[in-house]
């Protein structure tokens, strides 16, 4: 075959450079595809999680506190239900959002703003309403080195007083609501208003909840006291939601799952039993998306209101003891207004000497010049644990037992009571020249001289000289006295379940004169609560029993009223048994009986006569020299006046004690005390009140045990 003329074989090919371009493009696409595969296959789930990112936050919702009952089941502290409007802000809420919410909420509720708005509150409102203007006001200032807070303060400072003075009541109400909303923490309910909410307000807010983000209507509570101020000093108090947890203990409370605005006990039994009264908060878990919107809620722990306390206190007896102290204090002042011009108060404690259960505590202060609206008496019963006074001869039972136990005297040891002179200082009994006495009659007639010689023998001085140029006692004598007195609860804490109690002045100067004064109750000081534990220890035969204000703790009832099953029962607790022969205690008990029931007893003029003799009481009187310091009228310091502390300890009946009582009345007039013994009268009438109530309850068939729910039924 012939070839075509001028023909040739063509090859299809692309220029080299174009091939290179295609190759590079291929590699790029391959890389993109590979990367997409990695993202889709290896990281696809993680990327999707980031898109769908949520966060779980747990918050606690408060529950009502536990209630308090007296020993017969009478409600002492209750929770009164209240309407409540709360605010639970989402995360990331801005001040502008809260202001807008406040403006909406102000349409439906009334808020008191009087004396609640500061100048800063008004300025902050002005700032939110004029943010652009605020930025312009400081535009020419150098703020490069300032943080956001400093810049904000600079903007607030630029607001003039006249710019915030013209706000009307409606605006001020918005501001005060906004101020309350600002206190709320993210996802934590905060009470906006829970006092004086009308049904109209409650209903209006409830109807518009859809337009009030974070606002809710719910139930709240406040403490209610059916017996009003009776025993309030020991019940104690709690903070308000505005006060919240005490700032000084903020870290402590926050570590225990409290919120900043939680109500907590800050005094008395409310504080002492905070752990059980607070209850268990409901724990709620909020699930939020990346925009801080709540997408789900879940209750992970049901809430339970606080546990209930059953106190040892008998509120009916408590009211009677208060009345007795008031009446006898007023009588003492009325009968000797001049001599008793410094007499102001008296305090009494009543307990069961066998169990340590406190039945009543009263302290009353007489207001000589009440102003309009003021009461004649004020409750100062806290003095029973806070104020210590020299007790006088009431401690002589402990002195006799110390001397017998330490071998300084033997049972029946006798001497002649007549004045003793030591280095020219003459010491005598309150009734001079009593005559021949022993350990029992020394108590009956309250001999100081007997106690002086007992103290000397404790210090190694056994001769019976009544006129001494000097006195020197063995080292350690004072410490022996302190140790033995401590066994009775004198000079140490009683163990009372209360946040604080004073232990008194012990003294650290063991001079012989101080030791002699100590033996008759003229040196160290004690509280009425300590004296009560001391006389109880003698009354029950030698057991120092812990004093107790709470008998039982109960779980909340599932019914609307009454007590649930017992959570904890406080059985009597013996702190120590005194290291003394029971026969010695019997002798002191006999001495105490003679004080009240025999003609020569220092309190027989009251206790051995009817109507008190029938209750067969025993005890010991006490008179201690004291000095009250009065402010000078010109304000230039103080001047001292001589007064007496009149004390009394006792129990009844003397052969099978059911109650023990202690009474302290400080700053009685020296002359008035010889004709009128306020403490003796208080003690006698306390015994009478107890036994009359006992008789009345026996006739009415009142059970000493409170009504409790059947625990088996409670568990069903």
């Amino acid at each position: 075959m012939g070839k075509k003329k001028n023909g040739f074989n063509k090859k299809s090919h692309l220029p080299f450079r174009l091939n290179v371009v295609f190759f590079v493009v291929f590699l790029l696409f391959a890389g993109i595809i590979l990367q997409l595969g990695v993202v889709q296959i290896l990281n696809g789930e993680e990327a999707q999680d980031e898109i769908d990112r949520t966060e779980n936050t747990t918050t606690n919702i408060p529950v009502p506190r536990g209630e308090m009952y007296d020993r017969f089941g009478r409600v002492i502290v209750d929770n009164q239900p209240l309407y409540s409007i709360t605010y639970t802000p989402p995360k990331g809420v801005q001040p502008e959002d809260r202001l807008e919410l406040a403006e909406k909420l102000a349409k439906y509720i009334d808020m008191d703003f009087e004396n609640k708005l500061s100048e800063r509150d008004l300025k902050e409102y002005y700032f939110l309403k004029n943010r652009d203007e605020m930025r312009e006001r400081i535009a020419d200032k150098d703020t490069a080195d300032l943080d956001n807070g400093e810049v904000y303060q600079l903007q607030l400072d630029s607001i003039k007083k006249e710019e915030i003075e013209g706000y009307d009541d409606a605006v001020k109400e918005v501001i005060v609501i906004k101020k309350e909303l600002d206190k709320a923490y993210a996802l934590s309910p905060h009470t906006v208003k829970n006092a004086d909410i009308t049904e109209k307000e409650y209903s209006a807010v409830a109807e518009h909840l859809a337009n009030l983000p974070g606002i809710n209507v719910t139930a709240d509570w406040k403490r209610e006291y059916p017996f009003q101020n009776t025993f309030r000093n020991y019940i104690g108090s709690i903070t308000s939601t505005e006060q919240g947890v005490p700032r000084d203990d903020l870290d402590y409370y926050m570590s225990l799952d409290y919120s900043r605005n939680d109500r907590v006990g800050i005094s008395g039994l409310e504080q002492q039993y905070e752990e059980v009264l607070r209850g268990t908060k409901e724990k709620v878990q909020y699930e939020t998306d990346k925009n801080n919107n709540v997408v789900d809620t879940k209750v992970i722990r049901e809430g339970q209101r606080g546990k209930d306390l059953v106190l040892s206190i008998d509120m009916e007896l408590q009211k009677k003891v208060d009345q007795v102290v008031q009446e006898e204090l007023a009588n003492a002042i009325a009968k000797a207004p001049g001599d008793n011009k410094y007499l102001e108060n008296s305090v009494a404690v009543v307990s069961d000497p066998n169990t340590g259960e406190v039945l009543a505590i009263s302290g009353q202060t007489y207001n000589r010049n009440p102003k309009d609206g003021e009461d004649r008496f004020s409750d100062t019963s806290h003095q029973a644990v806070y104020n210590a006074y020299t007790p006088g001869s009431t401690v002589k039972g402990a002195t006799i037992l110390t001397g017998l136990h330490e071998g300084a005297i033997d049972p029946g040891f006798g001497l002649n009571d007549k004045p003793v002179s030591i280095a020219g200082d003459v010491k005598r009994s309150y009734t001079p020249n009593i005559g021949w006495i022993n350990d029992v009659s020394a108590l009956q007639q309250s001999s100081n001289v007997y106690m002086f010689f007992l103290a000397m023998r404790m210090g190694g001085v056994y001769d019976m000289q009544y006129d001494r140029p000097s006195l020197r006692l063995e080292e350690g004598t004072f410490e022996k006295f302190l140790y033995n007195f401590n066994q009775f609860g004198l000079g140490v804490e009683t163990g009372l379940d209360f946040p604080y109690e004073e232990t008194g002045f012990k003294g650290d100067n063991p001079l012989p004169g101080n030791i002699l004064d100590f033996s008759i109750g003229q040196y160290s000081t004690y509280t009425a609560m300590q004296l009560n534990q001391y006389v109880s220890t003698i009354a029950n035969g030698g057991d120092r029993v812990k004093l107790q204000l709470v008998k039982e703790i109960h779980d909340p009832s599932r019914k609307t009223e009454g007590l649930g099953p017992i959570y904890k029962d406080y059985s009597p607790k013996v702190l120590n048994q005194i290291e003394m022969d029971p026969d010695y205690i019997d002798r002191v008990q006999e001495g105490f009986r003679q004080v009240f029931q025999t003609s020569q007893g220092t309190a027989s003029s009251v206790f051995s006569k009817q109507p008190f003799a029938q209750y067969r009481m025993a005890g010991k009187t006490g008179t201690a020299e004291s000095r009250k310091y009065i402010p000078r009228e010109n304000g230039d310091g103080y001047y001292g006046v001589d007064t007496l502390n009149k004390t009394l300890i006792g129990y009844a009946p003397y052969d099978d004690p059911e109650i023990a009582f202690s009474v302290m009345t400080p700053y009685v007039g020296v002359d008035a005390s010889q004709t009128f013994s306020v403490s003796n009268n208080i003690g006698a009438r306390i015994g009478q009140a107890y036994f009359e109530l006992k008789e009345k309850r026996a006739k009415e068939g009142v059970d000493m045990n409170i009504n409790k729910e059947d625990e088996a039924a409670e568990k069903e």
Side-chain angles (χ1 to χ4, degrees), residues 309-321:
L309 304 183
V310 174
L311 309 189
S312 60
I313 297 297
D314 177 348
M315 289 301 283
E316 193 172 5
L317 178 63
Q318 175 69 49
K319 292 177 69 175
K320 288 184 176 295
V321 173

Side-chain angles (χ1 to χ4, degrees), residues 79-91:
N79 293 320
Q80 179 185 348
L82 300 172
Y83 286 139
S84 180
I85 297 171
T86 64
Y87 174 52
T88 306
K91 286 187 173 183

